[in-house]
Amino acid sequence: MLQRIQTVYLILAFVATGILMLFIPLWTTADGKPFFFMQDQFYTILLGLSTMLSILSIISFKKRQNQFVMNRLNMILNLILLGLFVYRSLNLSGEAQVSEKGIGMFLPIVAIVLLVLANKAIKKDEDLVKSVDRLR
């Protein structure tokens, strides 16, 4: 059902990757202009996939195993995205591109934490269903 706690966690993960990333810049360039993820096509594709996995996981609430697997894939995708953000911010020399790191770089960490909490709740539900089936 949609009123489970994992759905709340998944909706918050969707908000972190899908909505907040639109308004919070990843970093500020040396010119003083904010850099959003939409300015790089690769980041846009990865964040779009992460957002779509969150939505699909919310919709597939009747299939807990599929939801669990989609959350794991989403965590891996967010880890890749976080790695790319950190690589881009640390690899560029000095003030050439990245002048000031923004909070948007760390939103994938928030999404990963929320996905881990959702997976714990899904595992708990799955264990409860298995224990009830064992009693029959």
Side-chain angles (χ1 to χ4, degrees), residues 46-116:
L46 288 178
L47 275 167
L49 286 173
S50 176
T51 304
M52 288 307 295
L53 276 174
S54 293
I55 291 171
L56 285 174
S57 185
I58 290 169
I59 291 171
S60 66
F61 60 91
K62 290 185 180 180
K63 301 172 187 157
R64 286 179 298 278
Q65 288 296 344
N66 290 347
Q67 202 176 25
F68 193 80
V69 170
M70 281 190 269
N71 287 347
R72 288 255 173 117
L73 289 173
N74 202 353
M75 281 188 267
I76 292 169
L77 193 61
N78 278 311
L79 280 172
I80 291 170
L81 196 60
L82 179 66
L84 288 172
F85 288 161
V86 171
Y87 175 77
R88 175 117 182 229
S89 69
L90 294 178
N91 195 28
L92 298 174
S93 60
E95 292 288 319
Q97 293 286 334
V98 179
S99 175
E100 181 179 313
K101 295 163 188 68
I103 192 78
M105 286 181 58
F106 302 107
L107 283 177
I109 294 174
V110 173
I112 291 169
V113 168
L114 291 167
L115 290 167
V116 166

Side-chain angles (χ1 to χ4, degrees), residues 126-136:
E126 191 66 30
D127 291 343
L128 181 65
V129 168
K130 284 181 182 178
S131 72
V132 170
D133 285 344
R134 206 176 315 134
L135 291 174
R136 288 187 204 177

Side-chain angles (χ1 to χ4, degrees), residues 10-11 20 26 29-30 37 57 71 73 82 91 96 102 118 124 129:
L10 290 171
I11 289 172
L20 287 180
L26 297 176
T29 60
F37 79 94
S57 185
N71 287 347
L73 289 173
L82 179 66
N91 195 28
K124 186 177 173 183
V129 168

